[in-house]
Amino acid sequence: QVQLVESGGGLVQSGGSLRLSCAASGSFLSIKAMRWYRQVPGKQRELVAGIGNSGSTDYADSVKGRFTISGDNAKNTANLQMNSLKPEDTAVYYCYAEAELSTSSGFVGTFQYWGQGTQVTVSS
């Protein structure tokens, strides 16, 4: 019932910048939080940055000071501005959202959704 559409990935040189965007659409009551994760082959998916519906944000230590997450509650979007990119930032970046939905039984529950992922490659 929730679709996450990601955009903005690509290939950049070390020190360059990219801006990732994630838009949530579908039938839901509210979006509780949106986050960006990244994953490289053979390693665990890690949290990069997150934003709550209150506007609170958090970041992985490895990206703090370089990446900025922002959101638009009205548009149900989350953006990740990535500056001073390093080769170790190379990964597939996934958008994640926690959405409150009304179930078929009439109860309200929170469900987790993932985007399809977008490749970010930083060359040296």
Side-chain angles (χ1 to χ4, degrees):
Q1 292 184 320
V2 178
Q3 292 179 310
L4 301 177
V5 180
E6 302 156 325
S7 62
L11 172 65
V12 297
Q13 293 183 342
S14 180
S17 298
L18 282 175
R19 186 188 184 194
L20 305 183
S21 296
C22 177
S25 62
S27 180
F28 51 86
L29 300 178
S30 64
I31 299 292
K32 296 297 185 181
M34 298 186 75
R35 301 185 178 98
W36 284 98
Y37 287 78
R38 66 186 181 188
Q39 187 171 29
V40 298
K43 293 188 176 181
Q44 184 177 350
R45 188 172 298 183
E46 66 172 344
L47 173 67
V48 177
I51 185 168
N53 57 11
S54 66
S56 61
T57 60
D58 51 39
Y59 299 90
D61 289 340
S62 60
V63 307
K64 193 173 299 182
R66 299 187 297 121
F67 292 8
T68 302
I69 188 170
S70 60
D72 187 330
N73 290 335
K75 297 181 179 180
N76 294 313
T77 61
N79 300 316
L80 185 67
Q81 179 66 46
M82 304 185 294
N83 298 325
S84 301
L85 284 163
K86 305 174 181 179
E88 55 257 45
D89 294 319
T90 296
V92 177
Y93 284 70
Y94 295 91
C95 181
Y96 164 94
E98 294 182 355
E100 188 175 65
L101 279 69
S102 178
T103 68
S104 60
S105 60
F107 294 100
V108 176
T110 300
F111 299 87
Q112 301 174 338
Y113 297 91
W114 292 92
Q116 79 284 358
T118 184
Q119 177 70 48
V120 172
T121 302
V122 184
S123 64
S124 60

